[in-house]
Structure formats: C-alpha cells, structure tokens
C-alpha cells in the first residue's frame, strides 16, 4: 500500500520509502517510519495532496506520495 | 553601530521568527545582503537589560541545516565559518511550541555545532489552546540550555528572553543529542585531524557540504572529497541515518516533557477555512476575487491621497516660481527636478497599498494555499507551485521576486520563473498605466460596482499573468533540466495578519521605492532638462531671431508666441534631435518623438516615463499656470493634425510596449547576480523587446 493510494480522510503508518533522495527530504519534515499519516485534502486539480503528519500539514505531489510505503 | 554581542535568530519557517525579530529590534533594523551572495540579510539592534547592545541577525527560515535552496545554505555557512564576520556569539533557536517535534530537529543540529544556544519557545498560547502541556524546566534541564517561553505576537516573555541573552554563557553547555561518530566513524575522525576540527558534527557537515562552502579552499575541498572516496561515504544515506537518530533522540526527549491530548482527529478552524479556500470551484473563484479586489483597492483607495500629493507639488512649484528669480537654475529645479519627482511621489499610496496586500496574503498563510492549488497548473507550463509567490510578488517589484525564486529547489523551474517574472505588471508600470488609462478610459461605473478604469487596469494585470504563463510554456521546451523537481512544503495554519508587520512592510518598501527611484529620477530629470533646454549649433538663436520679426510679434498674442517659440526650441534641442532619430522606428507603433524620448529614458526604470512626460511638457508649457502631468498630456495636440496625441490606440499601444519591454536596469542586474551569467539577462532583454514591439504594433493597428 502506498500513500498515494489513500483516499481523503484515510490514515496509514509509514513503513519505508522506495526512493532514497525523496526519503531524506520527507524524513526531515517529520515523515518517518512509524509515523501516522492522514490524508487531509486533495488540491482542486487533483494534485498535490495535503497530509497531516506529526501535528502539522504537509503538501506533496502524488508522485512523491507514491514513494512512501505504508504498513 | 558597534554592538557588544552578536545574536543570530534561527528557526523553521512560520515559527514567528520575523515577528520576534521585529519585536526585539523595532524600527532599528536594516536590510542588506550577505557578502558575495544575494541572500537578504536583516540586521537590527537591541538594548539588553544589563546596558549592553546586541546586534541581532535574522537568518532565513529553514527546517534543517542541510540546505535545499540557496537561501537556506547561508544558515550553515554563517554558523560554521569561524572567520565569517557575521558569526554569532549566541544563537537563539525559535521553536514552535505547538509543533515541537519537527522544530527540535533543527535545534539539535545547531546545538551539535557547539555554539552557545538559547531556546525561545514561541506560540505558547497556541500550544495551550491545543491542550499541549510542556514541562519547560525539565526540557531546559534535558537540553542543558535556557528555555524561555514567549509569545512574540502578544509580546509576552520578551523581557525574559532579553535577560537570558544578557546572561548567556560564552561557552556551549548543551547536552549531546546523537553520537555523530556512529554515522561515519573513520571519515569524521580523518576530517577532524586534517582540518584541526575537534567538533565531530562540524566535520561531518563539511563532508556533506564542502562543495558549496565558500570558506574552504579548493585544496581543502578536494582533500575532503578524497577522504570521502576512501571511506566510501554516501551523503544521502548518512543524512537519512542522522535524521532517524535525531528523531529517536527527540521522541525520547518529548516522552516525559510534553503531554498531548490523545483525542482523535478533530476538525480545527484552519481545516474548516481550508475546506472553503481550497475548494474545487470556490478556491479559484475566491483567488480571482481577491486579486480583483486588490486591484480595485489600489485604484480607488489611493485616489484621494494621490490627488493631495499632486496638488501639493503643484502648489510648491507655483510658489517657487514666484519666490525664485527667473533663470535657468530656477527652471532646472522647478521644471526638471520637482516636476520629475512629483510624477513619481504621487504613486507612493498605490505602492504602499500593494505591499500591504502582499504582506497580508503571505502573513495569513493564504499564499501557500495558492501555491498548493496552482502547482499542477504551473507544472503544465514548466513552472512550479512555488513560482506563484514570485509571480504575485512581481506585481510589486521584479527585483525582490527574482531573489525569492531561491526557494525553488529545481534549477529549470527556477530559471523559467526568473525569465518570466519581469513580465508581470510591477508597481513601476502602475504609474504609466494609471496615467494612460486615466487619459483614454472614461471614469464611469458599469454594473454599478465596477469602475471602467479599474477594470482596464485589472485587464492589464491579468494579461501580464497570461503572457508570463505562455512565455514560460515556450521556455519549457527550450531549456534542458537534469534534476527532478519536487514539492514538499508545509501548509502553515491560518493566522490573523500581524498589522505591525504589514505597516512595517508598507513603510520599508515605500521608503526603498522613494530612495531608489528618487535618485534615478532626479538624475534623469536633470539630464533630460538640460537635453531639452539646449540644442546643437545656433538653432536656438535662429529661432529667437525668427520670431522677433514683426510678422510674428504683431499678429500673435504674447502667450501663443512664447508657446510656439518653446515648442520650436524643444524640437531642436538635443532631446528633440534624439527623439527624431528614433522616430522612424517607433512611428509604426503610433508614437511621436516626445514619446520616443520617454521610451529611451524609461530603459533606466519604467516609472521615469511619468517624470519624463512631466518634464517634456513643462518645458513646453507656460510658466504661469502649473498643471499636473495628466492635464499637460490631456491637452497635448499633434502640431500637424491638431488632434490629441494620446488617443485610445496610442495609449494602449504604449501600455503594450511597457507590458513587455525590459525597461529596468535593476532587474537586469539582479538576474545577472542570481544566474551568474550575462547570457540570461541578454536573452531576457532580447525576447522582451521583440515581444514589446510586436504587441505594440498589433495593438496600434487594431485600435486605430
């Protein structure tokens, strides 16, 4: 299951990343293995998405969300 | 100003760092650049309770000391370079109490550099509202540094923070957070030995960042590179390991210092606002509505103060004409300098209102929602959601906007944004448009609310955005990029704008506009006045002689005679000659030689147009009756046909020229500084001039 597959309102827990470069950036922003993520909303044109992670809102593109593998 | 202690403010974006900076330093601040780079440096001074004076540097907001953009790279180089004149004696790390976890990552990195640190725990009120309770004393004990709870917005805890700064230790006492040596054990040791660094984290950072650090010699950098190969160092893997280790430390730290409510996800206010503002349909409608309102406001709210300023200048000129003895010097002062200045000072209200809106949009957090909504659209034309900020900032001025593209991580996205930002209608074009629209568009309302002049102006703004997007789309196919773009961005919670910051930004920007534009305008108007008042050869004597003949003196009234002489002289002056030289080129656009002179002078800066017009028509007018530029241009007649010079076709053709032409020396200079290559400003100048000529030509021939 990837983050990009979640619908608005659904939650998941980060397991690992498929892309090293992206993982470094995501982890810095608090998106770490073991963290719970909730999809808050999708931009009006369908991309990017906004997620809630470690208590704040982060936006990322679907392509980037696809590199996050959920438990 | 000499300071006793140098303090740097470091923190994540949106933590209230700038607010704290403003609270600490008040109006006692100046904006400059870090030497060698174009990163904006804000420095201010603050009186400490013990009587010493502190110099406070506001460093760019960043999530970590691993830089993702040029702006962020300054943070590490200021903190790490012991020879840097800006290296602080003390770092104040600002943490958002309502989001401690992510904020502590940057703290732990800065603390490991072993510079004396104080923590300012901001937004305590917000944390309390969210039922987050923080054991401040325990946190301070665990970190080994003073922790001062503050609320920068409500100006709470600032005195305590100042006290903590004045009592701060000269030595770093903070506890270690992670064991750096486990990340790259041999390499850290080797670099430490080689470079005589006893701080393992600094050594590790040199391994990561040596390629971009200016304080390392090329030999040192090469040596580090060699060592990296020797110990097979992978920068990204090491950074990942470090981040995970740091968060493990942070989780441990927060476990018994912070308690959060375990309630399930609840709908907070910010979320409810987002549901409306980023709605599929309403989102865009509201965005357009806000833009429309902004331009209407710029036009209508500024009307009264503008006419006050204009009348004031006319009054000054009028009186000076009576007081000063007539002569070339008085003419230079009144018709050259003051006429030129008044043409530009009038626009202070509009510029102040524009900057107020932009700072409100950024302050409330709305700008990042616009970025979020527009990213997909922007990506289609080769830009990035983050390009929206420079593009909207371009409404104010291209110079700071081009500097703000540094937040765009991707090279190609950033270059395209730089290339198209000057197309956006900036505040320097505003005077030109306002004047020309006022000349040819009736001041009437349609559908009760929309003022026609306001609509025409909005039209020019929308047109500029559309052309910027189209040009970006073309560049997307011309430029070749290699790195991949990404869009990982915080959406901060909505906040009320801080009115103090808004007022400060209005004041700062208007002041900068007056000082920068003022200098250019005085210089240009003096040169122009000289060029318009003197001519080559003996032409002027001949004109005087010709009109002294009885056939003129007897058959013409004194007033119209002096006008005829003045306009004959202007036509034969140096300026007139220059105008006539370029007239064949601009005639197809509907411009005469007087407009030609304005076009030439506008290449220094666009707003000079208005001043030039004022000067050109003052030289031509009678001295007894001072008029505003608008009146002078309104009455301007074509000497051959007797028709008004500024018809609808000419005015719009002229606006099209100003919409596209790169008439701004400062922008060209900043594009060079940002790209470090003259090719970029040259390409920009070339494509914009071609577009300007073409658009102008088409407009003139369609409307004629």
């Amino acid at each position: 299951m990837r983050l990009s597959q979640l619908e608005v309102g659904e939650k998941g827990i980060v397991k690992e990343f498929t892309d090293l470069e992206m993982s470094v950036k995501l982890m810095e922003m608090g998106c770490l293995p073991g963290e719970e993520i909730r999809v808050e909303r999708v931009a009006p044109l369908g991309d990017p998405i906004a997620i809630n992670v470690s208590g704040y809102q982060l936006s990322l593109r679907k392509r980037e969300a696809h590199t996050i593998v959920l438990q | 100003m000499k300071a006793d202690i140098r303090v740097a403010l470091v923190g994540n974006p949106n933590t209230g760092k700038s607010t704290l900076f403003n609270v600490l330093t008040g109006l006692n601040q100046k904006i400059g650049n870090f030497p060698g780079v174009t990163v904006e440096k804000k420095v201010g001074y603050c009186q400490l309770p013990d009587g010493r004076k502190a110099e406070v540097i506001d460093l760019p907001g960043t999530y970590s000391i691993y830089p993702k953009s040029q702006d962020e790279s300054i943070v590490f180089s200021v903190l790490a370079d012991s020879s840097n004149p800006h290296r602080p004696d003390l770092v104040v790390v600002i943490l958002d109490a309502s989001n401690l976890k992510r904020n502590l990552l940057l703290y732990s990195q800065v603390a490991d550099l072993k510079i004396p640190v104080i923590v300012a725990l901001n937004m305590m009120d917000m944390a309390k509202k969210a039922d987050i309770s923080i054991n401040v004393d325990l946190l301070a004990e665990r970190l080994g540094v003073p922790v001062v709870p503050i609320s920068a917005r409500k100006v709470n805890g600032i005195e305590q923070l100042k006290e903590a700064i004045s009592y701060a230790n000269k030595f770093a006492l903070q506890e270690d957070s992670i064991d750096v040596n486990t990340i790259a054990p041999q390499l850290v040791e080797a670099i430490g030995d080689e470079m005589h660094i006893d701080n393992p984290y600094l050594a590790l950072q040199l391994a990561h960042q040596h390629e971009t650090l200016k304080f390392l010699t090329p030999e040192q950098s090469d040596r580090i590179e060699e060592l990296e190969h020797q110990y097979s160092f992978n920068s990204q893997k090491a950074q990942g390991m470090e981040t995970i280790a740091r968060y493990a430390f942070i989780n441990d730290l927060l476990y018994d210092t912070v308690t959060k409510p375990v309630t399930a996800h609840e709908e907070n206010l910010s979320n409810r606002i987002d549901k409306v503002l980023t709605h599929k349909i309403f989102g865009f409608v509201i965005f357009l509505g806000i833009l429309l309102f902004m331009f209407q406001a710029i036009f209508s709210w500024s009307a009264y103060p503008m006419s006050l300023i204009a009348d004031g200048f006319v009054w000054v000129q009028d009186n000076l004409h009576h007081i000063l003895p007539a002569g070339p010097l008085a003419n230079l002062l009144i018709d050259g300098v003051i006429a030129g200045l008044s043409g530009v000072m009038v626009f202070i209200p509009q510029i102040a209102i524009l900057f107020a809106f932009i700072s409100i949009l950024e302050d409330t957090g709305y700008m990042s929602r616009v970025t979020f909504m527009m990213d997909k659209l922007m990506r289609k034309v080769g830009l990035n959601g983050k390009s929206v900020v420079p593009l909207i900032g371009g409404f104010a001025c291209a110079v700071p906007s081009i500097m703000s593209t540094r937040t765009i991580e991707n090279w190609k996205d950033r270059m395209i944004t730089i290339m198209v930002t000057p197309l956006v209608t900036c505040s320097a074009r505003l005077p030109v448009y306002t004047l020309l629209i006022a000349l040819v568009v009736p001041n009437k309302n349609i559908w009760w609310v929309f003022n026609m002049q306001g609509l025409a102006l909005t039209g020019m703004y929308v047109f500029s955005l559309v052309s910027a997007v189209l040009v970006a789309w073309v560049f997307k196919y011309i430029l070749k990029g290699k790195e991949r773009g990404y869009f990982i961005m915080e959406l901060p919670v909505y906040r009320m704008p801080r009115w103090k910051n808004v007022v400060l930004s209005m004041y700062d920007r208007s002041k900068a506009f007056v000082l920068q534009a003022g200098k250019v305008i005085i210089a240009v108007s003096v040169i122009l006045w000289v060029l318009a008042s003197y001519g080559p050869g003996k032409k002027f004597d001949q004109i005087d002689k010709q009109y002294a003949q009885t056939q003129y003196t007897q058959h013409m009234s004194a007033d119209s005679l002096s006008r005829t002489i003045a306009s004959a002289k202007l036509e034969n002056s140096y300026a007139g000659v220059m105008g006539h030289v370029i007239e064949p080129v601009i005639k197809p656009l509907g411009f005469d030689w007087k407009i030609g002179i304005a076009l030439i002078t506008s290449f220094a800066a666009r707003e000079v147009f208005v001043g030039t017009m004022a000067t050109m028509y003052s030289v031509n007018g009678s001295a007894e009756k001072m008029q505003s530029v608008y009146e002078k241009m309104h009455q301007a007649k074509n000497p051959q046909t007797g028709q008004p010079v500024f018809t609808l076709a000419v005015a719009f053709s002229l606006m099209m020229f100003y919409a596209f032409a790169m008439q701004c020396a400062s922008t060209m200079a900043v594009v060079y500084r940002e790209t470090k290559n003259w090719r970029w400003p040259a390409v920009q100048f070339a494509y914009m001039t071609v577009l300007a000529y073409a658009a102008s030509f088409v407009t003139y021939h369609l409307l004629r």
Side-chain angles (χ1 to χ4, degrees), chain B residues 283-296:
Chain B
F284 290 110
V285 174
I286 291 169
F287 179 47
L288 279 180
I290 288 175
L291 285 186
L292 195 67
F293 175 74
M294 188 165 118
F295 299 130
Q296 288 280 329

PDB file of all heavy atoms in Angstrom, chain B residues 283-296:
ATOM      1  N   GLY B 283     -12.401  27.733  -4.548  1.00  0.00           N
ATOM      2  CA  GLY B 283     -10.981  28.050  -4.332  1.00  0.00           C
ATOM      3  C   GLY B 283     -10.476  29.033  -5.368  1.00  0.00           C
ATOM      4  O   GLY B 283      -9.907  30.069  -5.027  1.00  0.00           O
ATOM      5  N   PHE B 284     -10.724  28.718  -6.637  1.00  0.00           N
ATOM      6  CA  PHE B 284     -10.232  29.590  -7.708  1.00  0.00           C
ATOM      7  C   PHE B 284     -11.036  30.877  -7.803  1.00  0.00           C
ATOM      8  O   PHE B 284     -10.499  31.939  -8.074  1.00  0.00           O
ATOM      9  CB  PHE B 284     -10.268  28.852  -9.050  1.00  0.00           C
ATOM     10  CG  PHE B 284      -9.237  27.764  -9.128  1.00  0.00           C
ATOM     11  CD1 PHE B 284      -9.611  26.437  -9.128  1.00  0.00           C
ATOM     12  CD2 PHE B 284      -7.891  28.072  -9.183  1.00  0.00           C
ATOM     13  CE1 PHE B 284      -8.654  25.427  -9.180  1.00  0.00           C
ATOM     14  CE2 PHE B 284      -6.926  27.077  -9.244  1.00  0.00           C
ATOM     15  CZ  PHE B 284      -7.312  25.754  -9.238  1.00  0.00           C
ATOM     16  N   VAL B 285     -12.360  30.734  -7.569  1.00  0.00           N
ATOM     17  CA  VAL B 285     -13.214  31.927  -7.616  1.00  0.00           C
ATOM     18  C   VAL B 285     -12.747  32.930  -6.560  1.00  0.00           C
ATOM     19  O   VAL B 285     -12.600  34.126  -6.834  1.00  0.00           O
ATOM     20  CB  VAL B 285     -14.694  31.550  -7.384  1.00  0.00           C
ATOM     21  CG1 VAL B 285     -15.559  32.798  -7.280  1.00  0.00           C
ATOM     22  CG2 VAL B 285     -15.187  30.645  -8.506  1.00  0.00           C
ATOM     23  N   ILE B 286     -12.475  32.419  -5.359  1.00  0.00           N
ATOM     24  CA  ILE B 286     -12.040  33.306  -4.273  1.00  0.00           C
ATOM     25  C   ILE B 286     -10.695  33.939  -4.598  1.00  0.00           C
ATOM     26  O   ILE B 286     -10.478  35.131  -4.393  1.00  0.00           O
ATOM     27  CB  ILE B 286     -11.974  32.528  -2.934  1.00  0.00           C
ATOM     28  CG1 ILE B 286     -13.392  32.153  -2.490  1.00  0.00           C
ATOM     29  CG2 ILE B 286     -11.293  33.353  -1.849  1.00  0.00           C
ATOM     30  CD1 ILE B 286     -13.448  31.183  -1.342  1.00  0.00           C
ATOM     31  N   PHE B 287      -9.790  33.130  -5.162  1.00  0.00           N
ATOM     32  CA  PHE B 287      -8.479  33.654  -5.525  1.00  0.00           C
ATOM     33  C   PHE B 287      -8.603  34.796  -6.536  1.00  0.00           C
ATOM     34  O   PHE B 287      -8.026  35.874  -6.359  1.00  0.00           O
ATOM     35  CB  PHE B 287      -7.621  32.514  -6.086  1.00  0.00           C
ATOM     36  CG  PHE B 287      -6.251  32.940  -6.531  1.00  0.00           C
ATOM     37  CD1 PHE B 287      -5.456  33.744  -5.718  1.00  0.00           C
ATOM     38  CD2 PHE B 287      -5.751  32.538  -7.763  1.00  0.00           C
ATOM     39  CE1 PHE B 287      -4.189  34.126  -6.130  1.00  0.00           C
ATOM     40  CE2 PHE B 287      -4.478  32.925  -8.178  1.00  0.00           C
ATOM     41  CZ  PHE B 287      -3.709  33.720  -7.357  1.00  0.00           C
ATOM     42  N   LEU B 288      -9.410  34.573  -7.576  1.00  0.00           N
ATOM     43  CA  LEU B 288      -9.612  35.631  -8.572  1.00  0.00           C
ATOM     44  C   LEU B 288     -10.270  36.839  -7.925  1.00  0.00           C
ATOM     45  O   LEU B 288      -9.906  37.986  -8.206  1.00  0.00           O
ATOM     46  CB  LEU B 288     -10.490  35.112  -9.714  1.00  0.00           C
ATOM     47  CG  LEU B 288      -9.748  34.289 -10.755  1.00  0.00           C
ATOM     48  CD1 LEU B 288     -10.713  33.828 -11.845  1.00  0.00           C
ATOM     49  CD2 LEU B 288      -8.629  35.123 -11.380  1.00  0.00           C
ATOM     50  N   GLY B 289     -11.254  36.575  -7.049  1.00  0.00           N
ATOM     51  CA  GLY B 289     -11.944  37.648  -6.346  1.00  0.00           C
ATOM     52  C   GLY B 289     -10.971  38.493  -5.532  1.00  0.00           C
ATOM     53  O   GLY B 289     -11.030  39.729  -5.554  1.00  0.00           O
ATOM     54  N   ILE B 290     -10.052  37.815  -4.849  1.00  0.00           N
ATOM     55  CA  ILE B 290      -9.083  38.543  -4.027  1.00  0.00           C
ATOM     56  C   ILE B 290      -8.195  39.422  -4.907  1.00  0.00           C
ATOM     57  O   ILE B 290      -7.954  40.587  -4.608  1.00  0.00           O
ATOM     58  CB  ILE B 290      -8.234  37.558  -3.199  1.00  0.00           C
ATOM     59  CG1 ILE B 290      -9.093  36.958  -2.079  1.00  0.00           C
ATOM     60  CG2 ILE B 290      -7.011  38.244  -2.593  1.00  0.00           C
ATOM     61  CD1 ILE B 290      -8.406  35.892  -1.269  1.00  0.00           C
ATOM     62  N   LEU B 291      -7.750  38.860  -6.047  1.00  0.00           N
ATOM     63  CA  LEU B 291      -6.915  39.652  -6.954  1.00  0.00           C
ATOM     64  C   LEU B 291      -7.674  40.873  -7.467  1.00  0.00           C
ATOM     65  O   LEU B 291      -7.156  41.991  -7.481  1.00  0.00           O
ATOM     66  CB  LEU B 291      -6.452  38.801  -8.143  1.00  0.00           C
ATOM     67  CG  LEU B 291      -5.353  37.778  -7.868  1.00  0.00           C
ATOM     68  CD1 LEU B 291      -4.908  37.118  -9.157  1.00  0.00           C
ATOM     69  CD2 LEU B 291      -4.153  38.420  -7.180  1.00  0.00           C
ATOM     70  N   LEU B 292      -8.941  40.633  -7.871  1.00  0.00           N
ATOM     71  CA  LEU B 292      -9.746  41.728  -8.407  1.00  0.00           C
ATOM     72  C   LEU B 292      -9.933  42.821  -7.359  1.00  0.00           C
ATOM     73  O   LEU B 292      -9.763  44.007  -7.626  1.00  0.00           O
ATOM     74  CB  LEU B 292     -11.101  41.177  -8.860  1.00  0.00           C
ATOM     75  CG  LEU B 292     -11.923  42.099  -9.755  1.00  0.00           C
ATOM     76  CD1 LEU B 292     -11.232  42.261 -11.086  1.00  0.00           C
ATOM     77  CD2 LEU B 292     -13.326  41.542  -9.959  1.00  0.00           C
ATOM     78  N   PHE B 293     -10.249  42.380  -6.138  1.00  0.00           N
ATOM     79  CA  PHE B 293     -10.453  43.333  -5.046  1.00  0.00           C
ATOM     80  C   PHE B 293      -9.176  44.140  -4.807  1.00  0.00           C
ATOM     81  O   PHE B 293      -9.206  45.354  -4.628  1.00  0.00           O
ATOM     82  CB  PHE B 293     -10.850  42.579  -3.773  1.00  0.00           C
ATOM     83  CG  PHE B 293     -10.978  43.451  -2.568  1.00  0.00           C
ATOM     84  CD1 PHE B 293     -12.074  44.296  -2.432  1.00  0.00           C
ATOM     85  CD2 PHE B 293     -10.010  43.451  -1.579  1.00  0.00           C
ATOM     86  CE1 PHE B 293     -12.191  45.116  -1.328  1.00  0.00           C
ATOM     87  CE2 PHE B 293     -10.120  44.267  -0.475  1.00  0.00           C
ATOM     88  CZ  PHE B 293     -11.221  45.103  -0.349  1.00  0.00           C
ATOM     89  N   MET B 294      -8.039  43.428  -4.865  1.00  0.00           N
ATOM     90  CA  MET B 294      -6.760  44.076  -4.619  1.00  0.00           C
ATOM     91  C   MET B 294      -6.519  45.209  -5.621  1.00  0.00           C
ATOM     92  O   MET B 294      -6.144  46.314  -5.247  1.00  0.00           O
ATOM     93  CB  MET B 294      -5.681  43.002  -4.744  1.00  0.00           C
ATOM     94  CG  MET B 294      -4.312  43.392  -4.349  1.00  0.00           C
ATOM     95  SD  MET B 294      -3.326  41.878  -4.168  1.00  0.00           S
ATOM     96  CE  MET B 294      -2.113  42.133  -5.414  1.00  0.00           C
ATOM     97  N   PHE B 295      -6.808  44.941  -6.903  1.00  0.00           N
ATOM     98  CA  PHE B 295      -6.515  45.960  -7.908  1.00  0.00           C
ATOM     99  C   PHE B 295      -7.522  47.106  -7.873  1.00  0.00           C
ATOM    100  O   PHE B 295      -7.181  48.255  -8.088  1.00  0.00           O
ATOM    101  CB  PHE B 295      -6.429  45.328  -9.293  1.00  0.00           C
ATOM    102  CG  PHE B 295      -5.341  44.314  -9.345  1.00  0.00           C
ATOM    103  CD1 PHE B 295      -5.553  43.055  -9.844  1.00  0.00           C
ATOM    104  CD2 PHE B 295      -4.096  44.625  -8.825  1.00  0.00           C
ATOM    105  CE1 PHE B 295      -4.544  42.105  -9.837  1.00  0.00           C
ATOM    106  CE2 PHE B 295      -3.078  43.690  -8.810  1.00  0.00           C
ATOM    107  CZ  PHE B 295      -3.302  42.434  -9.323  1.00  0.00           C
ATOM    108  N   GLN B 296      -8.769  46.740  -7.557  1.00  0.00           N
ATOM    109  CA  GLN B 296      -9.768  47.804  -7.385  1.00  0.00           C
ATOM    110  C   GLN B 296      -9.348  48.723  -6.238  1.00  0.00           C
ATOM    111  O   GLN B 296      -9.434  49.934  -6.335  1.00  0.00           O
ATOM    112  CB  GLN B 296     -11.139  47.185  -7.079  1.00  0.00           C
ATOM    113  CG  GLN B 296     -11.792  46.512  -8.265  1.00  0.00           C
ATOM    114  CD  GLN B 296     -12.466  47.501  -9.193  1.00  0.00           C
ATOM    115  OE1 GLN B 296     -12.954  48.528  -8.768  1.00  0.00           O
ATOM    116  NE2 GLN B 296     -12.469  47.207 -10.479  1.00  0.00           N
TER     117      GLN B 296
END
